[in-house]
Amino acid sequence: MARELPSHIWFVRSNGGQGSYPVKPEGWRVVWIFVAGVAASVILALLLAMSGPTWLWVVVFIGGMAASAWYFISTAKKHTDYSITYNEWTRG
């Protein structure tokens, strides 16, 4: 049984290093928002690539990816317990 975490902790340290692994629904929501942001960036960039100048879709793609990554990383840093790994958390 996994041990209880404070309500503001949504992630624990990943098993392989200093990354964050979601362990609460709020953490998984952050992951899905990141994935949706990446997908939206790709789709919008592809649509612009078919009809617009090259520089525009590149800027949209890079900007969207950077914004999605910034959101995930900044949120995960605020809500991660780095003192335990995912395996330690699941063992309780």
Side-chain angles (χ1 to χ4, degrees), residues 36-60:
V38 168
S41 298
V42 169
I43 291 168
L44 188 56
L46 288 173
L47 291 173
L48 288 171
M50 289 188 278
S51 62
T54 302
W55 67 268
L56 183 58
W57 72 263
V58 171
V59 168
V60 167

Side-chain angles (χ1 to χ4, degrees), residues 10-11 22 24-35 71:
W10 306 341
F11 298 87
K24 287 190 175 179
E26 295 90 342
W28 283 106
R29 191 174 312 119
V30 171
V31 171
W32 284 112
I33 290 170
F34 167 73
V35 169
Y71 168 75

